Amino acid sequence: MELPGTPSDEIDDVLATGRGDITTLFVSMATRHPDGADAEYLRWHTLDHRPEQHRLSAVRASLRLVSTPACRAARAAETGPYSAIDHVMTYFFTDPGGMDGFLALAKALIGGKRKLPLLPPVERGVYDVQRKSSAPRVKVGADVLPWWPVKGVYLLLERGDARPDSLLAVDGVAGVWSATTLDVDARLASAQVGQTITYCFLDDDPLSTAERLGPVLTSRWGRGGVAPLLAAPFYLVVPHEWDRYVP
């Protein structure tokens, strides 16, 4: 169903009321649970750990992604350790300084015996948001995409940087955010400087959209200047249906 009216990003009076205050992403990428207890882990994280982060004024949104076997089969690229990624957790921060409270809260929750052993990590990164784009057909502006009800995310992890225009033209891609690594304390991140992460927010099934994105990504990487580390569709965790999407 086509929603009415003019897209927000084309209405100056809408943009004048606010452009959002997210500048920074904290991204944690992990493998599946070593004992196959992914659903149990997602239950704990979604009901306990993740909501607590929103007591921090610097945390504006959060997003948890899971790769299923079908998602794995639909990947356009996976290299080195990134091929092991099945879980991606993202927190959207107002500024890098919010990481201090993030670490303090983690310590406090551990003190209250409120923390399960983490999933085996692959990489953590702190990223500076560089580009935000929204497809006009969805009407909402690019600034509010982290709160928009997506069906999934197609995630790109790349060396180098490329514009999102060709991605945004693909049916099923409602919007795109891109961010590049920041050089931060090793306690927070291990991602190399010069790395880019791109979120394609989807309003169609991630597997169907992945098929349409394939030729676009081949062209993107063929032009040079950017090389893929991971290009993969993901589903969102469905609350209280913890085993619906698991590795």
Side-chain angles (χ1 to χ4, degrees):
M1 181 183 71
E2 181 71 17
L3 296 172
T6 304
S8 292
D9 288 339
E10 299 176 14
I11 307 174
D12 291 341
D13 287 347
V14 170
L15 299 179
T17 66
R19 298 302 307 267
D21 55 0
I22 294 171
T23 68
T24 307
L25 311 180
F26 174 79
V27 186
S28 177
M29 300 180 173
T31 69
R32 68 195 67 180
H33 194 284
D35 300 319
D38 297 86
E40 290 85 346
Y41 184 89
L42 293 174
R43 176 182 180 275
W44 164 76
H45 193 274
T46 305
L47 294 179
D48 184 345
H49 190 73
R50 181 176 166 188
E52 289 288 356
Q53 309 309 308
H54 288 272
R55 69 172 61 251
L56 302 173
S57 60
V59 174
R60 296 288 285 113
S62 58
L63 182 68
R64 176 130 219 153
L65 306 175
V66 181
S67 178
T68 66
C71 288
R72 275 187 157 273
R75 292 181 176 183
E78 52 180 5
T79 62
Y82 304 105
S83 63
I85 292 170
D86 281 307
H87 295 275
V88 180
M89 183 64 216
T90 305
Y91 291 106
F92 298 77
F93 282 82
T94 57
D95 63 88
M99 299 296 153
D100 293 337
F102 191 59
L103 292 174
L105 177 57
K107 183 178 180 180
L109 290 171
I110 290 172
K113 300 181 179 179
R114 292 270 299 284
K115 196 170 181 68
L116 291 184
L118 296 176
L119 293 170
V122 174
E123 183 176 274
R124 294 174 186 162
V126 178
Y127 293 81
D128 180 57
V129 176
Q130 296 289 311
R131 296 191 180 106
K132 299 179 284 185
S133 304
S134 182
R137 61 181 173 78
V138 303
K139 299 301 193 280
V140 301
D143 297 309
V144 302
L145 285 171
W147 297 274
W148 197 71
V150 297
K151 289 189 175 182
V153 168
Y154 197 97
L155 193 73
L156 297 174
L157 194 64
E158 298 167 310
R159 297 291 296 174
D161 188 23
R163 292 191 59 82
D165 307 61
S166 60
L167 304 174
L168 199 62
V170 174
D171 187 28
V173 178
V176 180
W177 274 37
S178 296
T180 58
T181 43
L182 288 169
D183 189 7
V184 297
D185 192 313
R187 293 179 302 162
L188 286 167
S190 57
Q192 296 182 14
V193 174
Q195 196 163 283
T196 300
I197 192 166
T198 299
Y199 296 75
C200 296
F201 298 94
L202 309 180
D203 62 348
D204 194 8
D205 180 75
L207 299 178
S208 300
T209 310
E211 187 174 352
R212 293 190 290 269
L213 276 165
V216 175
L217 293 173
T218 298
S219 176
R220 176 185 176 93
W221 300 325
R223 291 193 297 268
V226 61
L229 301 173
L230 178 69
F234 287 85
Y235 285 102
L236 273 67
V237 172
V238 179
H240 305 287
E241 296 183 31
W242 311 114
D243 58 352
R244 183 169 178 179
Y245 298 123
V246 290

mmCIF file of all heavy atoms in Angstrom, residues 134-183:
data_model
loop_
_atom_site.group_PDB
_atom_site.id
_atom_site.type_symbol
_atom_site.label_atom_id
_atom_site.label_comp_id
_atom_site.label_asym_id
_atom_site.label_seq_id
_atom_site.Cartn_x
_atom_site.Cartn_y
_atom_site.Cartn_z
ATOM 1 N N SER A 134 17.086 7.447 2.561
ATOM 2 C CA SER A 134 15.809 6.753 2.672
ATOM 3 C C SER A 134 15.135 6.711 1.310
ATOM 4 O O SER A 134 15.176 7.706 0.567
ATOM 5 C CB SER A 134 14.919 7.478 3.688
ATOM 6 O OG SER A 134 13.695 6.806 3.860
ATOM 7 N N ALA A 135 14.533 5.586 0.951
ATOM 8 C CA ALA A 135 13.799 5.492 -0.310
ATOM 9 C C ALA A 135 12.540 6.358 -0.221
ATOM 10 O O ALA A 135 11.778 6.239 0.746
ATOM 11 C CB ALA A 135 13.423 4.037 -0.588
ATOM 12 N N PRO A 136 12.291 7.218 -1.190
ATOM 13 C CA PRO A 136 11.123 8.106 -1.125
ATOM 14 C C PRO A 136 9.807 7.364 -0.928
ATOM 15 O O PRO A 136 8.890 7.890 -0.274
ATOM 16 C CB PRO A 136 11.167 8.829 -2.474
ATOM 17 C CG PRO A 136 12.598 8.814 -2.866
ATOM 18 C CD PRO A 136 13.127 7.498 -2.372
ATOM 19 N N ARG A 137 9.697 6.144 -1.421
ATOM 20 C CA ARG A 137 8.425 5.415 -1.339
ATOM 21 C C ARG A 137 8.018 5.100 0.097
ATOM 22 O O ARG A 137 6.829 4.901 0.371
ATOM 23 C CB ARG A 137 8.510 4.110 -2.139
ATOM 24 C CG ARG A 137 9.565 3.146 -1.638
ATOM 25 C CD ARG A 137 9.629 1.883 -2.471
ATOM 26 N NE ARG A 137 10.763 1.054 -2.071
ATOM 27 C CZ ARG A 137 10.783 0.288 -0.999
ATOM 28 N NH1 ARG A 137 9.694 0.241 -0.226
ATOM 29 N NH2 ARG A 137 11.840 -0.420 -0.681
ATOM 30 N N VAL A 138 8.978 5.053 1.042
ATOM 31 C CA VAL A 138 8.620 4.712 2.419
ATOM 32 C C VAL A 138 8.209 5.945 3.222
ATOM 33 O O VAL A 138 7.737 5.817 4.353
ATOM 34 C CB VAL A 138 9.751 3.953 3.149
ATOM 35 C CG1 VAL A 138 10.135 2.700 2.394
ATOM 36 C CG2 VAL A 138 10.970 4.840 3.383
ATOM 37 N N LYS A 139 8.428 7.110 2.657
ATOM 38 C CA LYS A 139 8.008 8.405 3.221
ATOM 39 C C LYS A 139 8.846 8.866 4.413
ATOM 40 O O LYS A 139 9.215 10.016 4.505
ATOM 41 C CB LYS A 139 6.511 8.389 3.599
ATOM 42 C CG LYS A 139 5.601 8.131 2.397
ATOM 43 C CD LYS A 139 5.774 9.168 1.309
ATOM 44 C CE LYS A 139 4.683 9.121 0.243
ATOM 45 N NZ LYS A 139 4.884 8.085 -0.760
ATOM 46 N N VAL A 140 9.125 7.987 5.379
ATOM 47 C CA VAL A 140 9.880 8.436 6.557
ATOM 48 C C VAL A 140 11.282 8.843 6.145
ATOM 49 O O VAL A 140 11.864 8.297 5.199
ATOM 50 C CB VAL A 140 9.940 7.353 7.658
ATOM 51 C CG1 VAL A 140 8.556 6.968 8.119
ATOM 52 C CG2 VAL A 140 10.732 6.134 7.206
ATOM 53 N N GLY A 141 11.846 9.801 6.892
ATOM 54 C CA GLY A 141 13.169 10.301 6.577
ATOM 55 C C GLY A 141 14.276 9.354 7.002
ATOM 56 O O GLY A 141 14.104 8.494 7.873
ATOM 57 N N ALA A 142 15.435 9.529 6.390
ATOM 58 C CA ALA A 142 16.587 8.685 6.688
ATOM 59 C C ALA A 142 16.992 8.760 8.154
ATOM 60 O O ALA A 142 17.486 7.785 8.726
ATOM 61 C CB ALA A 142 17.761 9.088 5.800
ATOM 62 N N ASP A 143 16.759 9.898 8.790
ATOM 63 C CA ASP A 143 17.179 10.074 10.183
ATOM 64 C C ASP A 143 16.480 9.114 11.137
ATOM 65 O O ASP A 143 17.007 8.815 12.207
ATOM 66 C CB ASP A 143 16.902 11.509 10.631
ATOM 67 C CG ASP A 143 17.701 12.530 9.842
ATOM 68 O OD1 ASP A 143 18.923 12.363 9.727
ATOM 69 O OD2 ASP A 143 17.094 13.492 9.339
ATOM 70 N N VAL A 144 15.283 8.642 10.792
ATOM 71 C CA VAL A 144 14.501 7.834 11.733
ATOM 72 C C VAL A 144 14.507 6.349 11.380
ATOM 73 O O VAL A 144 13.782 5.558 11.993
ATOM 74 C CB VAL A 144 13.050 8.347 11.844
ATOM 75 C CG1 VAL A 144 13.046 9.800 12.276
ATOM 76 C CG2 VAL A 144 12.287 8.172 10.533
ATOM 77 N N LEU A 145 15.325 5.933 10.444
ATOM 78 C CA LEU A 145 15.338 4.528 10.029
ATOM 79 C C LEU A 145 15.633 3.529 11.162
ATOM 80 O O LEU A 145 15.096 2.417 11.150
ATOM 81 C CB LEU A 145 16.339 4.325 8.882
ATOM 82 C CG LEU A 145 15.875 4.843 7.514
ATOM 83 C CD1 LEU A 145 17.028 4.796 6.517
ATOM 84 C CD2 LEU A 145 14.693 4.032 7.002
ATOM 85 N N PRO A 146 16.470 3.877 12.160
ATOM 86 C CA PRO A 146 16.691 2.902 13.241
ATOM 87 C C PRO A 146 15.433 2.530 14.014
ATOM 88 O O PRO A 146 15.402 1.512 14.713
ATOM 89 C CB PRO A 146 17.707 3.612 14.147
ATOM 90 C CG PRO A 146 18.446 4.531 13.234
ATOM 91 C CD PRO A 146 17.385 5.024 12.275
ATOM 92 N N TRP A 147 14.375 3.354 13.912
ATOM 93 C CA TRP A 147 13.123 3.070 14.621
ATOM 94 C C TRP A 147 12.037 2.535 13.679
ATOM 95 O O TRP A 147 10.939 2.240 14.112
ATOM 96 C CB TRP A 147 12.614 4.330 15.316
ATOM 97 C CG TRP A 147 13.542 4.831 16.368
ATOM 98 C CD1 TRP A 147 13.606 4.434 17.682
ATOM 99 C CD2 TRP A 147 14.562 5.815 16.217
ATOM 100 N NE1 TRP A 147 14.591 5.108 18.345
ATOM 101 C CE2 TRP A 147 15.203 5.974 17.470
ATOM 102 C CE3 TRP A 147 14.999 6.595 15.139
ATOM 103 C CZ2 TRP A 147 16.253 6.865 17.672
ATOM 104 C CZ3 TRP A 147 16.048 7.483 15.337
ATOM 105 C CH2 TRP A 147 16.663 7.618 16.598
ATOM 106 N N TRP A 148 12.345 2.434 12.409
ATOM 107 C CA TRP A 148 11.359 2.004 11.416
ATOM 108 C C TRP A 148 11.233 0.475 11.465
ATOM 109 O O TRP A 148 12.238 -0.232 11.600
ATOM 110 C CB TRP A 148 11.807 2.472 10.033
ATOM 111 C CG TRP A 148 10.740 2.462 8.992
ATOM 112 C CD1 TRP A 148 9.675 3.292 8.903
ATOM 113 C CD2 TRP A 148 10.647 1.561 7.892
ATOM 114 N NE1 TRP A 148 8.914 2.977 7.796
ATOM 115 C CE2 TRP A 148 9.487 1.915 7.157
ATOM 116 C CE3 TRP A 148 11.425 0.493 7.439
ATOM 117 C CZ2 TRP A 148 9.090 1.242 6.008
ATOM 118 C CZ3 TRP A 148 11.026 -0.175 6.294
ATOM 119 C CH2 TRP A 148 9.868 0.195 5.598
ATOM 120 N N PRO A 149 10.010 -0.090 11.376
ATOM 121 C CA PRO A 149 9.815 -1.537 11.525
ATOM 122 C C PRO A 149 10.228 -2.320 10.280
ATOM 123 O O PRO A 149 9.434 -2.544 9.365
ATOM 124 C CB PRO A 149 8.312 -1.663 11.794
ATOM 125 C CG PRO A 149 7.707 -0.472 11.122
ATOM 126 C CD PRO A 149 8.713 0.642 11.253
ATOM 127 N N VAL A 150 11.488 -2.731 10.252
ATOM 128 C CA VAL A 150 12.022 -3.456 9.096
ATOM 129 C C VAL A 150 11.719 -4.949 9.186
ATOM 130 O O VAL A 150 11.433 -5.489 10.255
ATOM 131 C CB VAL A 150 13.549 -3.252 8.980
ATOM 132 C CG1 VAL A 150 13.875 -1.789 8.742
ATOM 133 C CG2 VAL A 150 14.272 -3.777 10.210
ATOM 134 N N LYS A 151 11.815 -5.627 8.043
ATOM 135 C CA LYS A 151 11.686 -7.088 8.004
ATOM 136 C C LYS A 151 13.035 -7.765 8.184
ATOM 137 O O LYS A 151 13.111 -8.953 8.480
ATOM 138 C CB LYS A 151 11.059 -7.523 6.685
ATOM 139 C CG LYS A 151 9.580 -7.177 6.568
ATOM 140 C CD LYS A 151 8.964 -7.838 5.343
ATOM 141 C CE LYS A 151 7.467 -7.596 5.302
ATOM 142 N NZ LYS A 151 6.838 -8.270 4.130
ATOM 143 N N GLY A 152 14.082 -7.009 7.995
ATOM 144 C CA GLY A 152 15.433 -7.531 8.145
ATOM 145 C C GLY A 152 16.433 -6.487 7.702
ATOM 146 O O GLY A 152 16.077 -5.345 7.390
ATOM 147 N N VAL A 153 17.691 -6.894 7.674
ATOM 148 C CA VAL A 153 18.782 -6.009 7.265
ATOM 149 C C VAL A 153 19.727 -6.787 6.361
ATOM 150 O O VAL A 153 20.035 -7.955 6.629
ATOM 151 C CB VAL A 153 19.554 -5.471 8.485
ATOM 152 C CG1 VAL A 153 20.864 -4.800 8.067
ATOM 153 C CG2 VAL A 153 18.700 -4.499 9.280
ATOM 154 N N TYR A 154 20.159 -6.142 5.287
ATOM 155 C CA TYR A 154 21.276 -6.680 4.513
ATOM 156 C C TYR A 154 22.501 -5.892 4.940
ATOM 157 O O TYR A 154 22.542 -4.665 4.811
ATOM 158 C CB TYR A 154 21.047 -6.547 3.015
ATOM 159 C CG TYR A 154 21.974 -7.440 2.217
ATOM 160 C CD1 TYR A 154 21.556 -8.686 1.763
ATOM 161 C CD2 TYR A 154 23.285 -7.060 1.957
ATOM 162 C CE1 TYR A 154 22.410 -9.523 1.060
ATOM 163 C CE2 TYR A 154 24.147 -7.887 1.265
ATOM 164 C CZ TYR A 154 23.705 -9.118 0.809
ATOM 165 O OH TYR A 154 24.572 -9.963 0.129
ATOM 166 N N LEU A 155 23.485 -6.606 5.470
ATOM 167 C CA LEU A 155 24.652 -5.965 6.084
ATOM 168 C C LEU A 155 25.873 -6.112 5.192
ATOM 169 O O LEU A 155 26.193 -7.206 4.725
ATOM 170 C CB LEU A 155 24.924 -6.604 7.445
ATOM 171 C CG LEU A 155 25.904 -5.862 8.351
ATOM 172 C CD1 LEU A 155 25.261 -4.598 8.907
ATOM 173 C CD2 LEU A 155 26.339 -6.757 9.506
ATOM 174 N N LEU A 156 26.549 -4.989 4.988
ATOM 175 C CA LEU A 156 27.812 -4.977 4.246
ATOM 176 C C LEU A 156 28.932 -4.539 5.169
ATOM 177 O O LEU A 156 28.818 -3.510 5.843
ATOM 178 C CB LEU A 156 27.747 -4.005 3.069
ATOM 179 C CG LEU A 156 26.743 -4.292 1.957
ATOM 180 C CD1 LEU A 156 26.727 -3.134 0.972
ATOM 181 C CD2 LEU A 156 27.085 -5.586 1.250
ATOM 182 N N LEU A 157 29.987 -5.312 5.190
ATOM 183 C CA LEU A 157 31.215 -4.930 5.875
ATOM 184 C C LEU A 157 32.292 -4.908 4.803
ATOM 185 O O LEU A 157 32.538 -5.924 4.131
ATOM 186 C CB LEU A 157 31.556 -5.943 6.970
ATOM 187 C CG LEU A 157 32.610 -5.541 7.992
ATOM 188 C CD1 LEU A 157 32.131 -4.353 8.819
ATOM 189 C CD2 LEU A 157 32.942 -6.717 8.906
ATOM 190 N N GLU A 158 32.914 -3.736 4.615
ATOM 191 C CA GLU A 158 33.815 -3.560 3.481
ATOM 192 C C GLU A 158 35.067 -2.787 3.886
ATOM 193 O O GLU A 158 35.056 -2.023 4.837
ATOM 194 C CB GLU A 158 33.096 -2.800 2.355
ATOM 195 C CG GLU A 158 31.881 -3.525 1.806
ATOM 196 C CD GLU A 158 31.011 -2.648 0.919
ATOM 197 O OE1 GLU A 158 30.667 -1.526 1.359
ATOM 198 O OE2 GLU A 158 30.681 -3.081 -0.191
ATOM 199 N N ARG A 159 36.117 -2.979 3.113
ATOM 200 C CA ARG A 159 37.280 -2.108 3.170
ATOM 201 C C ARG A 159 37.095 -1.043 2.114
ATOM 202 O O ARG A 159 36.851 -1.348 0.957
ATOM 203 C CB ARG A 159 38.560 -2.908 2.889
ATOM 204 C CG ARG A 159 38.870 -3.992 3.917
ATOM 205 C CD ARG A 159 39.263 -3.430 5.257
ATOM 206 N NE ARG A 159 40.506 -2.673 5.216
ATOM 207 C CZ ARG A 159 40.989 -1.983 6.251
ATOM 208 N NH1 ARG A 159 40.307 -1.938 7.393
ATOM 209 N NH2 ARG A 159 42.124 -1.336 6.146
ATOM 210 N N GLY A 160 37.193 0.216 2.521
ATOM 211 C CA GLY A 160 36.927 1.300 1.601
ATOM 212 C C GLY A 160 35.502 1.785 1.749
ATOM 213 O O GLY A 160 34.765 1.369 2.641
ATOM 214 N N ASP A 161 35.089 2.658 0.837
ATOM 215 C CA ASP A 161 33.778 3.287 0.952
ATOM 216 C C ASP A 161 33.208 3.516 -0.438
ATOM 217 O O ASP A 161 33.933 3.788 -1.394
ATOM 218 C CB ASP A 161 33.908 4.619 1.704
ATOM 219 C CG ASP A 161 32.567 5.241 2.030
ATOM 220 O OD1 ASP A 161 31.575 4.494 2.091
ATOM 221 O OD2 ASP A 161 32.522 6.458 2.228
ATOM 222 N N ALA A 162 31.894 3.372 -0.553
ATOM 223 C CA ALA A 162 31.208 3.614 -1.823
ATOM 224 C C ALA A 162 29.842 4.211 -1.530
ATOM 225 O O ALA A 162 29.255 3.944 -0.477
ATOM 226 C CB ALA A 162 31.077 2.321 -2.625
ATOM 227 N N ARG A 163 29.322 4.980 -2.457
ATOM 228 C CA ARG A 163 28.024 5.622 -2.270
ATOM 229 C C ARG A 163 26.910 4.569 -2.265
ATOM 230 O O ARG A 163 27.026 3.527 -2.891
ATOM 231 C CB ARG A 163 27.780 6.654 -3.364
ATOM 232 C CG ARG A 163 28.706 7.865 -3.278
ATOM 233 C CD ARG A 163 28.246 8.959 -4.221
ATOM 234 N NE ARG A 163 26.891 9.389 -3.908
ATOM 235 C CZ ARG A 163 26.580 10.259 -2.946
ATOM 236 N NH1 ARG A 163 27.533 10.767 -2.184
ATOM 237 N NH2 ARG A 163 25.325 10.603 -2.738
ATOM 238 N N PRO A 164 25.787 4.859 -1.580
ATOM 239 C CA PRO A 164 24.718 3.878 -1.430
ATOM 240 C C PRO A 164 23.652 3.917 -2.529
ATOM 241 O O PRO A 164 22.703 3.135 -2.491
ATOM 242 C CB PRO A 164 24.083 4.297 -0.098
ATOM 243 C CG PRO A 164 24.236 5.777 -0.077
ATOM 244 C CD PRO A 164 25.559 6.061 -0.745
ATOM 245 N N ASP A 165 23.802 4.800 -3.513
ATOM 246 C CA ASP A 165 22.723 5.046 -4.474
ATOM 247 C C ASP A 165 22.224 3.769 -5.141
ATOM 248 O O ASP A 165 21.009 3.554 -5.255
ATOM 249 C CB ASP A 165 23.195 6.035 -5.551
ATOM 250 C CG ASP A 165 23.761 7.309 -4.958
ATOM 251 O OD1 ASP A 165 24.757 7.221 -4.211
ATOM 252 O OD2 ASP A 165 23.231 8.393 -5.239
ATOM 253 N N SER A 166 23.138 2.929 -5.611
ATOM 254 C CA SER A 166 22.723 1.719 -6.320
ATOM 255 C C SER A 166 22.014 0.745 -5.389
ATOM 256 O O SER A 166 21.116 0.001 -5.814
ATOM 257 C CB SER A 166 23.938 1.037 -6.963
ATOM 258 O OG SER A 166 24.902 0.672 -5.979
ATOM 259 N N LEU A 167 22.380 0.732 -4.109
ATOM 260 C CA LEU A 167 21.725 -0.143 -3.134
ATOM 261 C C LEU A 167 20.291 0.319 -2.898
ATOM 262 O O LEU A 167 19.362 -0.485 -2.821
ATOM 263 C CB LEU A 167 22.491 -0.147 -1.810
ATOM 264 C CG LEU A 167 23.969 -0.526 -1.860
ATOM 265 C CD1 LEU A 167 24.605 -0.326 -0.492
ATOM 266 C CD2 LEU A 167 24.141 -1.965 -2.329
ATOM 267 N N LEU A 168 20.120 1.614 -2.790
ATOM 268 C CA LEU A 168 18.810 2.193 -2.485
ATOM 269 C C LEU A 168 17.817 1.979 -3.625
ATOM 270 O O LEU A 168 16.602 1.990 -3.408
ATOM 271 C CB LEU A 168 18.972 3.689 -2.202
ATOM 272 C CG LEU A 168 17.853 4.396 -1.448
ATOM 273 C CD1 LEU A 168 17.679 3.803 -0.062
ATOM 274 C CD2 LEU A 168 18.142 5.888 -1.342
ATOM 275 N N ALA A 169 18.322 1.746 -4.820
ATOM 276 C CA ALA A 169 17.456 1.544 -5.982
ATOM 277 C C ALA A 169 16.896 0.124 -6.057
ATOM 278 O O ALA A 169 16.015 -0.145 -6.876
ATOM 279 C CB ALA A 169 18.226 1.859 -7.260
ATOM 280 N N VAL A 170 17.377 -0.776 -5.220
ATOM 281 C CA VAL A 170 16.944 -2.174 -5.258
ATOM 282 C C VAL A 170 15.607 -2.332 -4.533
ATOM 283 O O VAL A 170 15.437 -1.830 -3.413
ATOM 284 C CB VAL A 170 18.009 -3.091 -4.613
ATOM 285 C CG1 VAL A 170 17.510 -4.521 -4.513
ATOM 286 C CG2 VAL A 170 19.297 -3.026 -5.429
ATOM 287 N N ASP A 171 14.673 -3.016 -5.153
ATOM 288 C CA ASP A 171 13.370 -3.262 -4.546
ATOM 289 C C ASP A 171 13.547 -4.030 -3.239
ATOM 290 O O ASP A 171 14.235 -5.055 -3.196
ATOM 291 C CB ASP A 171 12.507 -4.069 -5.515
ATOM 292 C CG ASP A 171 11.077 -4.231 -5.020
ATOM 293 O OD1 ASP A 171 10.606 -3.348 -4.279
ATOM 294 O OD2 ASP A 171 10.449 -5.250 -5.367
ATOM 295 N N GLY A 172 12.948 -3.534 -2.183
ATOM 296 C CA GLY A 172 13.079 -4.156 -0.871
ATOM 297 C C GLY A 172 14.003 -3.411 0.057
ATOM 298 O O GLY A 172 13.966 -3.625 1.271
ATOM 299 N N VAL A 173 14.833 -2.527 -0.481
ATOM 300 C CA VAL A 173 15.723 -1.699 0.343
ATOM 301 C C VAL A 173 15.012 -0.382 0.641
ATOM 302 O O VAL A 173 14.798 0.447 -0.248
ATOM 303 C CB VAL A 173 17.070 -1.441 -0.347
ATOM 304 C CG1 VAL A 173 17.950 -0.532 0.520
ATOM 305 C CG2 VAL A 173 17.786 -2.755 -0.635
ATOM 306 N N ALA A 174 14.629 -0.206 1.895
ATOM 307 C CA ALA A 174 13.874 0.989 2.296
ATOM 308 C C ALA A 174 14.781 2.153 2.646
ATOM 309 O O ALA A 174 14.358 3.314 2.598
ATOM 310 C CB ALA A 174 12.986 0.665 3.491
ATOM 311 N N GLY A 175 16.013 1.861 3.014
ATOM 312 C CA GLY A 175 16.940 2.910 3.385
ATOM 313 C C GLY A 175 18.311 2.340 3.658
ATOM 314 O O GLY A 175 18.467 1.117 3.806
ATOM 315 N N VAL A 176 19.311 3.210 3.725
ATOM 316 C CA VAL A 176 20.701 2.791 3.901
ATOM 317 C C VAL A 176 21.406 3.741 4.855
ATOM 318 O O VAL A 176 21.301 4.970 4.714
ATOM 319 C CB VAL A 176 21.449 2.766 2.544
ATOM 320 C CG1 VAL A 176 22.898 2.335 2.747
ATOM 321 C CG2 VAL A 176 20.755 1.844 1.544
ATOM 322 N N TRP A 177 22.121 3.167 5.810
ATOM 323 C CA TRP A 177 23.045 3.925 6.663
ATOM 324 C C TRP A 177 24.444 3.335 6.469
ATOM 325 O O TRP A 177 24.605 2.100 6.448
ATOM 326 C CB TRP A 177 22.664 3.788 8.139
ATOM 327 C CG TRP A 177 21.645 4.763 8.635
ATOM 328 C CD1 TRP A 177 20.559 5.244 7.967
ATOM 329 C CD2 TRP A 177 21.617 5.384 9.927
ATOM 330 N NE1 TRP A 177 19.846 6.111 8.760
ATOM 331 C CE2 TRP A 177 20.463 6.216 9.969
ATOM 332 C CE3 TRP A 177 22.426 5.303 11.051
ATOM 333 C CZ2 TRP A 177 20.121 6.968 11.090
ATOM 334 C CZ3 TRP A 177 22.097 6.045 12.180
ATOM 335 C CH2 TRP A 177 20.960 6.876 12.198
ATOM 336 N N SER A 178 25.438 4.207 6.373
ATOM 337 C CA SER A 178 26.830 3.770 6.292
ATOM 338 C C SER A 178 27.659 4.494 7.351
ATOM 339 O O SER A 178 27.407 5.660 7.649
ATOM 340 C CB SER A 178 27.409 4.058 4.904
ATOM 341 O OG SER A 178 26.739 3.321 3.914
ATOM 342 N N ALA A 179 28.662 3.772 7.890
ATOM 343 C CA ALA A 179 29.513 4.341 8.931
ATOM 344 C C ALA A 179 30.919 3.768 8.801
ATOM 345 O O ALA A 179 31.099 2.645 8.306
ATOM 346 C CB ALA A 179 28.940 4.022 10.313
ATOM 347 N N THR A 180 31.910 4.524 9.239
ATOM 348 C CA THR A 180 33.305 4.091 9.159
ATOM 349 C C THR A 180 33.907 3.982 10.558
ATOM 350 O O THR A 180 33.483 4.647 11.491
ATOM 351 C CB THR A 180 34.137 5.072 8.319
ATOM 352 O OG1 THR A 180 34.048 6.378 8.899
ATOM 353 C CG2 THR A 180 33.630 5.133 6.893
ATOM 354 N N THR A 181 34.917 3.137 10.666
ATOM 355 C CA THR A 181 35.512 2.845 11.966
ATOM 356 C C THR A 181 36.167 4.066 12.595
ATOM 357 O O THR A 181 36.755 4.910 11.924
ATOM 358 C CB THR A 181 36.569 1.735 11.843
ATOM 359 O OG1 THR A 181 37.377 1.974 10.686
ATOM 360 C CG2 THR A 181 35.944 0.364 11.758
ATOM 361 N N LEU A 182 36.051 4.100 13.941
ATOM 362 C CA LEU A 182 36.780 5.068 14.738
ATOM 363 C C LEU A 182 37.916 4.353 15.461
ATOM 364 O O LEU A 182 37.804 3.167 15.806
ATOM 365 C CB LEU A 182 35.848 5.707 15.767
ATOM 366 C CG LEU A 182 34.800 6.687 15.244
ATOM 367 C CD1 LEU A 182 33.798 7.021 16.336
ATOM 368 C CD2 LEU A 182 35.466 7.954 14.717
ATOM 369 N N ASP A 183 38.993 5.070 15.697
ATOM 370 C CA ASP A 183 40.123 4.525 16.452
ATOM 371 C C ASP A 183 39.839 4.753 17.933
ATOM 372 O O ASP A 183 39.904 5.883 18.424
ATOM 373 C CB ASP A 183 41.405 5.240 16.028
ATOM 374 C CG ASP A 183 42.652 4.583 16.617
ATOM 375 O OD1 ASP A 183 42.517 3.509 17.236
ATOM 376 O OD2 ASP A 183 43.741 5.160 16.450
#
